[in-house]
Amino acid sequence: MKNMPIVAGNWKMHKTIEEGISFVGEIQNRILDTVEAKVIFCPPFTALYPIVDAMGQHPFGVGAQNVHHESHGAFTGEISIDMLKSAGVDYVIIGHSERRHVFGETDGWINKKIHAVIESGLIPLFCIGETLEDRQSGQTSAVLKAQIELGLSGLSEINPDQFIVAYEPVWAIGTGETASVEQIETAHKDVKGILASLFEANGAHIPILYGGSVNADNAKSLIQAEGVDGFLIGGASLKIESFCHIIETVAAHY
Ligand code: PEP
């Protein structure tokens, strides 16, 4: 049997505490507990604990959008793994393209974060993806390989139940331009192959999400792409109607 698909919403710098609690409450009311998809909310730091607290017993996951690899210290503006754990967080997005390209996060930093997060028991949601320039110059496969090998460097094994990869072409994030089914299938096949060459069967079983302008209209065709185990969603995860529709579409495909 296939693993349950994953639908993760990356809210980026959107929603106050009150807006976040009300949004998750509304989704809880609309989506039955038995829905056949793992839904993960990734709100801003301020809303993490209030959302965990307001949800009580719930089938949803809660993820942070970033973390620092050090346990504590003079790192103004940063947040530690223990702080996230004490807020009830289960997942951490690592290496999102906005962290890489807007904030200059390097593969080296990402690698440190991945090691620290895996050791802590939180689940990394590791983002990779090529720029438009990479794609146009035929470098997509090589870029994905380098991001995976550098990001996961030094790991001798991996638990596929405790690790998620998101393939997010940078040119498709927040642009309204989605990768074609063919482009997604090729990239997911490459990523699976690279993970399998690093971690054998465990690598091949790591869930691989697609992200990049997924919305209520294209979710049905994209979830059918070979090798897609769910979605990481930005813009369309901010609206009740579109996010519910996507969750239901993905669950129906399971
Ligand atoms: C994202 O931020 O990870 C993302 C995929 O954004 P969007 O869905 O808005 O393209």
Side-chain angles (χ1 to χ4, degrees):
M1 191 179 193
K2 286 194 298 178
N3 284 333
M4 194 183 278
I6 297 164
V7 182
N10 172 17
W11 292 359
K12 312 192 188 196
M13 201 170 72
H14 293 284
K15 296 195 190 296
T16 61
I17 294 173
E18 294 77 13
E19 287 164 349
I21 290 175
S22 139
F23 186 91
V24 174
E26 182 67 22
I27 300 269
Q28 240 172 334
N29 291 339
R30 296 228 200 164
I31 304 286
L32 294 174
D33 284 358
T34 51
V35 72
E36 303 279 21
K38 179 74 195 171
V39 178
I40 304 169
F41 296 97
C42 302
F45 291 136
T46 47
L48 286 167
Y49 177 70
I51 285 177
V52 169
D53 191 41
M55 283 197 299
Q57 289 294 320
H58 61 86
F60 300 140
V62 175
Q65 298 173 19
N66 188 23
V67 73
H68 196 282
H69 61 274
E70 293 286 356
S71 59
H72 59 275
F75 301 107
T76 302
E78 293 291 330
I79 195 148
S80 77
I81 288 170
D82 279 352
M83 292 167 192
L84 296 180
K85 285 179 93 169
S86 77
V89 163
D90 322 286
Y91 300 85
V92 187
I93 298 177
I94 301 178
H96 188 275
S97 85
E98 285 148 21
R99 299 296 320 167
R100 291 176 188 264
H101 298 288
V102 181
F103 298 101
E105 213 165 271
T106 62
D107 291 303
W109 278 90
I110 290 164
N111 180 246
K112 286 185 176 151
K113 292 178 186 205
I114 291 211
H115 277 269
V117 168
I118 288 179
E119 273 159 34
S120 76
L122 294 183
I123 301 180
L125 213 165
F126 172 43
C127 300
I128 52 172
E130 81 286 2
T131 62
L132 188 57
E133 201 185 347
D134 296 330
R135 179 160 283 276
Q136 287 172 340
S137 58
Q139 293 300 306
T140 300
S141 260
V143 167
L144 297 178
K145 186 167 188 285
Q147 288 176 343
I148 294 171
E149 288 182 350
L150 293 169
L152 306 188
S153 167
L155 289 177
S156 53
E157 54 186 10
I158 209 153
N159 177 350
D161 297 328
Q162 296 287 309
F163 198 84
I164 304 170
V165 170
Y167 166 61
E168 300 204 301
V170 178
W171 49 272
I173 297 182
T175 58
E177 196 174 335
T178 321
S180 67
V181 167
E182 200 191 335
Q183 288 170 325
I184 294 172
E185 288 180 342
T186 305
H188 279 233
K189 192 167 168 228
D190 283 349
V191 170
K192 195 178 274 298
I194 298 160
L195 292 169
S197 74
L198 291 174
F199 305 108
E200 300 175 351
N202 278 351
H205 286 113
I206 292 170
I208 308 171
L209 314 185
Y210 168 75
S213 297
V214 175
N215 59 40
D217 296 329
N218 60 27
K220 191 168 177 188
S221 73
L222 298 180
I223 196 62
Q224 289 171 32
E226 181 83 32
V228 171
D229 300 308
F231 297 132
L232 177 56
I233 304 164
S237 74
L238 295 171
K239 299 192 194 81
I240 300 276
E241 290 305 329
S242 54
F243 198 50
C244 280
H245 187 90
I246 296 169
I247 295 167
E248 280 157 1
T249 304
V250 168
H253 180 70
Y254 176 58

